[in-house]
Amino acid sequence: MKRSFRRSPMLTAGVVLASLSLALTACGGTTTTESEGGSAAAPAGEGKLQALKDKGSITVAIAGEAPYSYEENGEATGATIALAKKIFGDMGIAEVNTVLVDWNGLIPGLTAGRSDAVSAGMSILPDRCANADFADPEIMYTTTLMTQKGNPKGLTDLDSVKAKIDAGEKIKLAVLAGGIEAGYAKALDLDVQSVPDAQTGMDTVDNGRADAFAMTAISLNFMAEQNPDANVETTDAFVQEIDGVPQIGAGSTVFAQGDDELREAYNEGLAKITESEETYLEVVGEYGFTAENLPPKDLTTEELCKGAPAK
């Protein structure tokens, strides 16, 4: 399985961010379906942080994408859930409950008050920032392609997909509906198969209904490792370019607009974790995250929401 990635100079403090606004594409706790969790969230706005402390629990929405936030033996787990438990726990909110939501329903459910936050490793994009407020960056992303073992089509990145299609070869590409890779594919004018979740994407490649599935490298590498009997492998991780601009992605926890006090309290806790590689990996390292995923200290949510180059 090809799976190597070295930290690029673009992932340092001088990182160049895309100006392209791409389409909308984690103590113990319990996991429920979206409908079951509909009344679990505290009222938004001023006083919410204290209300959650008094209640002793918070409800976060997840999309079931490993290794960010997913269910295992009926319990929520994953890197963003580990961050949530650590940060909210230190804030005095002992219990993190989860509600499982389709990816495209995460922000609508948040704004409708069906969750208190979204803990799903969601990329910070201008279109999303218009509808919700992101915490400071907590995860850096690269992309990979999942192909059948042996990579029969010889694909390396989305540019190779486009080149082969332009040369007359038939390539079937799958992307997560609403995911950032769907935006990349649209910008490259690629026809795609949209899948509702990562498992479906892997199955689509495994059974030959797609030649490749594009998603974040950490997710697809994790899935390939957890499913050694599947007829899949992953390419080397890459940073996609659109019109010559590297599409550097970063994700974080999402809060409803107006929940400024709660978000800032979260940011204070997050800063203690992202202070160093050691403190970061103590929380997320067991889920396959490495120093490559630690955001540069000068990368801000404000810049990502504007789609502006980092300074």
Side-chain angles (χ1 to χ4, degrees):
M1 181 185 301
K2 291 181 65 182
R3 295 199 313 96
S4 64
F5 174 65
R6 292 186 175 88
R7 192 171 184 87
S8 162
M10 291 181 294
L11 299 185
T12 64
V15 62
V16 178
L17 300 173
S19 59
L20 179 67
S21 172
L22 298 173
L24 290 178
T25 46
C27 290
T30 58
T31 303
T32 68
T33 63
E34 183 175 10
S35 60
E36 290 169 338
S39 61
E46 187 175 353
K48 181 166 186 173
L49 175 58
Q50 188 59 51
L52 291 171
K53 289 181 178 181
D54 293 342
K55 183 181 178 182
S57 66
I58 185 169
T59 298
V60 301
I62 67 173
E65 181 183 345
Y68 303 107
S69 55
Y70 60 104
E71 294 179 23
E72 188 173 76
N73 300 321
E75 295 291 330
T77 186
T80 66
I81 293 299
L83 287 168
K85 289 179 178 179
K86 171 63 175 171
I87 296 171
F88 290 123
D90 288 348
M91 289 163 53
I93 304 171
E95 187 175 2
V96 175
N97 297 320
T98 56
V99 53
L100 186 62
V101 181
D102 287 340
W103 182 263
N104 281 335
L106 289 169
I107 288 181
L110 175 68
T111 58
R114 292 193 287 273
S115 65
D116 299 304
V118 172
S119 180
M122 181 172 280
S123 296
I124 305 169
L125 299 173
D127 288 348
R128 294 171 178 162
C129 295
N131 297 291
D133 289 342
F134 284 79
D136 292 337
E138 58 192 29
I139 299 169
M140 293 296 292
Y141 298 116
T142 53
T143 304
T144 194
L145 300 180
M146 177 174 278
T147 70
Q148 288 195 339
K149 287 181 178 177
N151 195 355
K153 297 287 187 177
L155 303 172
T156 56
D157 55 19
L158 293 178
D159 289 333
S160 72
V161 173
K162 182 172 176 58
K164 287 179 179 291
I165 291 174
D166 290 346
E169 190 169 346
K170 186 175 181 180
I171 303 292
K172 294 174 288 185
L173 176 69
V175 296
L176 181 68
I180 193 169
E181 295 79 19
Y184 297 163
K186 182 178 180 180
L188 294 170
D189 198 28
L190 296 174
D191 290 330
V192 300
Q193 301 178 46
S194 293
V195 297
D197 52 57
Q199 182 65 51
T200 303
M202 185 179 74
D203 293 343
T204 300
V205 172
D206 190 12
N207 60 32
R209 289 186 289 117
D211 299 303
F213 174 39
M215 209 171 75
T216 56
I218 190 74
S219 292
L220 293 189
N221 291 339
F222 184 88
M223 290 185 69
E225 290 172 356
Q226 295 296 310
N227 295 273
D229 294 332
N231 184 31
V232 297
E233 67 177 40
T234 55
T235 66
D236 287 343
F238 59 90
V239 175
Q240 184 62 42
E241 290 191 6
I242 304 295
D243 295 329
V245 180
Q247 304 295 298
I248 304 300
S252 195
T253 298
V254 195
F255 297 89
Q257 292 177 340
D259 286 345
D260 299 345
E261 184 184 24
L262 177 60
R263 187 186 72 255
E264 287 309 309
Y266 184 90
N267 282 339
E268 289 179 12
L270 177 62
K272 297 176 183 177
I273 295 172
T274 58
E275 182 178 13
S276 69
E277 291 181 8
E278 181 180 6
T279 53
Y280 185 68
L281 296 181
E282 282 178 358
V283 179
V284 301
E286 67 177 289
Y287 302 100
F289 287 71
T290 70
E292 314 295 346
N293 302 113
L294 176 62
K297 292 185 182 298
D298 62 352
L299 179 63
T300 69
T301 293
E302 182 180 9
E303 290 169 330
L304 289 161
C305 283
K306 290 179 179 178
K311 297 179 181 178

